[in-house]
Amino acid sequence: MAASSEQSQGGPGAPARRRGTESSRVSTYRTETFARLATPLAEVFGAKTAKVLAAVGLHDLDDLMYYVPRDYLSGTQRTDLSTLTVGERAAVVAEVGARGAEAIRGDQNRWRLEASLTDGTGFLGLTFFGRKHIVDYWLRQLGMGDHGIFVGRIGEFRGALQMTHPTFIMLDAQGQVVGQASDERQQIARVVSKSSMIGIYPARAALPTWQIAECVGIGLDLLKGIADPLPEAVRSGEQLAGLWQAYCLVHRPDNAEDIERGRRRLKFDEALALQLAMVLRRSEASKHHAAAITVVPDGLLHGFDAGLPFSLTDGQRRVGEEIAADMARGTPMQRLLQGEVGSGKTVVALRAMLAAVDAGHQAVLVAPTEVLAEQHAATFRTLMGPLAQAGTLGAPAQATALTLLTGSVNGKARSHALSEISSGRAGIVVGTHALFGADVRFADLALLVIDEQHRFGVEQRAVLADRADRQPHELVLTATPIPRSVAMTIFGDLDVSTLAERPRGAGQVQTTAVLTAVHPGWLSRVWQRLREEALAGHQCFVICPRIGPKDEIGERADISAANAEEVYERLRGHELSGIEVGLMHGRLSATAKREVMRGFAQGSPRVLVATSVVEVGVDIADASAMVVLDADRFGVSALHQLRGRIGRGGQPAICLLVSGADPQSPAAERLAALESSSDGFELAELDLAQRREGDVLGAEQSGGHSTLRLLRVIDDEDIVERAKVVAQRLHAEGTLETDDGLRDMVAAVHRRSEASWLERD
Ligand code: ADP
Ligand code: MG
């Protein structure tokens, strides 16, 4: 605590106040290192500072060490002014040359101070504005020939480099801070004296970068000497910096290589901890038993295949074999099946379910909405024909029964469904989260298929797996393409199967960006086109980013974007008058939503004005056109998902992305990417590159994993790859079971992910 004793009272360095919080610190960690890293910041800096730090998500020393500068300033030795570039944030050490002040246009209340810094050869202008007495104060500080540190962004004025309102401190000949400096100036002085590159942290008004730097400095002192949790063999094998050294390298580097080396170590730890957690989860799962399902000749599956009106694609066949191989083992399958909308996942899933029934068990498919569950059940009945009609006259011997259970199945129908499920008569069960109800008992559940998994929590899945001696195989279907790097980082505990091609016959969607900034007249042609589609007997979607005139998009108050309610009224009254138009959005009641979607699936209305709630939507075979208004408000992947809703009947379809974006803007470029590519993976990569991973890997899609800290799934694929290899080796060697440091690394991941869940609400 050497550094803190010099601090002024109440500052970030105020001595730690321990007020009986000792019990809250009971550590679940085995090593001294992790116990120290878990020290709450309130214990180090006091409650007041800790509160400010908590606002940027920093709770313990570990968080603080991972809060790395977003930028570095260099050159606290006399700066070579010729190296400065416009736009850069710099800390400049230089001498004051000429300076002077004058009232702006004779207004005695508004003065401008101009000064010129020099390094002996070059010059840098400074400009300040203020009232006369303040400007006079600055003038006194900026003595001719004195030198100081000036921190700010380098701008340009009339062809010369300059800084406006830099924060500055003046130094005496010994390099000591001169005069009665403000808190901030004192902090700058202290920070500047520590290293030759100065980290600039992501700061807030209440938490300037200098204060963070001081906190980090104190943290570094406290952590000095901690043992490195990484086994020496791994560290040298991967040529990684030591842990404490890495903290120093990122926070107080001497050069760019230091930063790189430090960051690499911290990212590696992050990647390794995740990979270790997954290795463990996998090995844990493999200790459970599951029904070993082998394909029987002349069973349901056989009959089903024989009656299919089409032949399976190569992809469907291959994925089917991967699933069959998993299910044949006595350990639970954990497989993710990804494929775009229309790629034929449903058939693949149903075939797996039939194999389970053939082996004498039950299989269940859980869908995110009632409409989807009903549609799945209907599709299954159609595809299975008499094979789903056990007990009726003329049903083949191997036939089973199919039961639907959703929230709106009530009364007698519900008790009937429950008894079908508990007696085992229903081999195939389809439903919604209603299946997680306490009164639902399966006779013998062997396969759980989850459609669009991000709608379900991990806990809910656990409920279905209620037989202690055996767990069901699990197949998760997702239409959200997950790039390899993400799959490896986040879904590393699942095996991934991919359906890359769409079956022949699926329609092509022709996508066109309609940029109204260039062609204002095109919007009326869009409606004309939609009218023609509707009159030709097809169905159309009109998608808007907002529900009503007062609704915001997400957290942004973007009230200029089109809203469904107004667009609905307008189209009905004008552009599409005489055509049946419907409205669908998330604020409608569940029943109303269901009614609208059911009607639309049956052909009425012709045109549906909606928000993106239709994203995970139903199969409207007739839909041939989609107009997305203010399309630039949606992410690339979301738009790609949306357009997957049309052209499903095999007919050609058009998707018109209307946007007021400037043709040169990144937004317009994203829309152009959608015009030229129909590859969901490529588009997802693009999406990832443009958004922060946090958004992409939010709890929704990642199934509750905490967001990453320094690791970036796209840029750091090589690190994740290395970490994966190392994790598997450590596990195979048995080191993972015995090494306290590694076990703590994993414990820390779990702790953080729990914490991020708690913070969410
Ligand atoms: P997904 O579940 O991936 O969105 P589906 O399984 O619903 O895709 O398939 C989309 C459409 O393609 C359905 O109408 C389905 O019957 C049809 N289909 C599936 N597999 C094939 C195939 N091999 N050949 C032709 N049509 C297929
Ligand atoms: Mg589907």
Side-chain angles (χ1 to χ4, degrees), residues 114-185:
E114 307 251 18
S116 154
L117 299 179
T118 179
D119 59 0
T121 46
F123 294 93
L124 175 68
L126 301 183
T127 309
F128 297 84
F129 300 94
R131 288 169 174 271
K132 182 164 192 315
H133 67 279
I134 299 173
V135 165
D136 281 343
Y137 170 77
W138 284 332
L139 265 183
R140 278 198 302 279
Q141 298 231 303
L142 296 167
M144 281 254 252
D146 292 348
H147 80 285
I149 303 174
F150 302 83
V151 181
R153 193 166 290 281
I154 304 294
E156 197 173 10
F157 185 66
R158 291 193 184 137
L161 296 185
Q162 70 129 6
M163 282 201 251
T164 303
H165 275 276
T167 298
F168 69 94
I169 54 171
M170 302 308 293
L171 305 172
D172 65 17
Q174 282 74 47
Q176 297 300 306
V177 178
V178 174
Q180 270 199 320
S182 70
D183 271 2
E184 185 181 9
R185 283 162 208 208

Side-chain angles (χ1 to χ4, degrees), residues 408-424:
S408 50
V409 175
N410 293 312
K412 272 219 184 91
R414 184 178 170 84
S415 358
H416 178 68
L418 290 176
S419 95
E420 289 283 290
I421 296 170
S422 62
S423 67

Side-chain angles (χ1 to χ4, degrees), residues 295-307 351 354 358 387 398:
V295 175
V296 301
D298 298 326
L300 271 170
L301 180 56
H302 186 87
F304 176 81
D305 283 351
R351 292 185 72 246
L354 294 175
D358 273 340
L387 292 173
Q398 74 272 51

Side-chain angles (χ1 to χ4, degrees), residues 172-511:
D172 65 17
Q174 282 74 47
Q176 297 300 306
V177 178
V178 174
Q180 270 199 320
S182 70
D183 271 2
E184 185 181 9
R185 283 162 208 208
Q186 287 185 33
Q187 280 176 343
I188 296 175
R190 282 194 299 270
V191 168
V192 162
S193 66
K194 298 275 199 250
S195 68
S196 54
M197 288 183 88
I198 304 158
I200 299 297
Y201 293 86
R204 297 270 170 96
L207 185 65
T209 175
W210 311 108
Q211 189 177 352
I212 300 168
E214 276 205 300
C215 291
V216 167
I218 292 161
L220 285 174
D221 284 346
L222 282 175
L223 293 171
K224 195 169 183 166
I226 51 165
D228 195 324
L230 215 52
E232 172 55 34
V234 173
R235 213 170 34 195
S236 58
E238 301 298 314
Q239 300 179 358
L240 296 167
L243 185 60
W244 191 74
Q245 186 197 6
Y247 294 151
C248 295
L249 289 175
V250 291
H251 292 290
R252 289 180 175 172
D254 283 325
N255 50 50
E257 290 83 70
D258 282 358
I259 301 169
E260 212 23 63
R261 223 169 111 64
R263 287 176 70 90
R264 188 175 164 84
R265 165 65 202 258
L266 296 186
K267 285 176 174 185
F268 184 87
D269 280 18
E270 203 180 346
L272 181 66
L274 282 170
Q275 295 298 330
L276 289 174
M278 287 174 204
V279 163
L280 280 176
R281 206 174 314 164
R282 235 168 202 287
S283 104
E284 199 54 43
S286 69
K287 286 176 194 151
H288 290 281
H289 294 289
I293 295 166
T294 47
V295 175
V296 301
D298 298 326
L300 271 170
L301 180 56
H302 186 87
F304 176 81
D305 283 351
L308 261 186
F310 45 75
S311 54
L312 297 173
T313 63
D314 290 345
Q316 284 172 319
R317 229 179 278 282
R318 176 179 40 79
V319 171
E321 279 160 19
E322 287 167 355
I323 293 170
D326 280 359
M327 295 201 306
R329 280 190 285 270
T331 55
M333 167 172 74
Q334 304 268 306
R335 189 168 284 277
L336 181 75
L337 170 54
Q338 56 175 350
E340 296 187 37
V341 170
S343 61
K345 298 184 295 293
T346 308
V347 173
V348 171
L350 178 55
R351 292 185 72 246
M353 293 171 82
L354 294 175
V357 179
D358 273 340
H361 311 286
Q362 288 171 295
V364 61
L365 180 141
V366 189
T369 66
E370 290 199 0
V371 179
L372 273 172
E374 284 165 11
Q375 190 161 63
H376 274 303
T379 305
F380 283 7
R381 282 190 212 282
T382 310
L383 287 170
M384 289 175 67
L387 292 173
Q389 294 161 8
T392 63
L393 212 60
Q398 74 272 51
T400 185
L402 188 154
T403 291
L404 173 73
L405 186 67
T406 65
S408 50
V409 175
N410 293 312
K412 272 219 184 91
R414 184 178 170 84
S415 358
H416 178 68
L418 290 176
S419 95
E420 289 283 290
I421 296 170
S422 62
S423 67
R425 275 193 300 276
I428 304 280
V429 180
V430 177
T432 55
H433 57 274
L435 286 164
F436 298 115
D439 53 350
V440 181
R441 286 269 170 275
F442 282 85
D444 182 5
L445 181 63
L447 171 63
L448 165 60
V449 179
I450 297 178
D451 193 22
E452 294 301 339
Q453 75 115 36
H454 57 278
R455 298 290 171 109
F456 295 99
V458 180
E459 335 69 64
Q460 285 180 312
R461 288 195 243 160
V463 172
L464 282 180
D466 58 359
R467 274 186 59 171
D469 59 329
R470 228 184 53 197
Q471 293 212 333
H473 295 288
E474 216 174 290
L475 180 65
V476 176
L477 311 180
T478 178
T480 311
I482 298 165
R484 204 184 91 82
S485 48
V486 179
M488 200 167 56
T489 316
I490 302 302
F491 293 105
D493 56 332
L494 298 179
D495 293 306
V496 180
S497 292
T498 304
L499 284 174
E501 74 220 273
R502 275 198 185 193
R504 268 174 305 113
Q508 279 301 309
V509 179
Q510 162 85 42
T511 301

Side-chain angles (χ1 to χ4, degrees), residues 35-48:
R36 277 165 76 179
L37 284 170
T39 308
L41 294 178
E43 275 187 32
V44 184
F45 305 113
K48 203 169 136 222

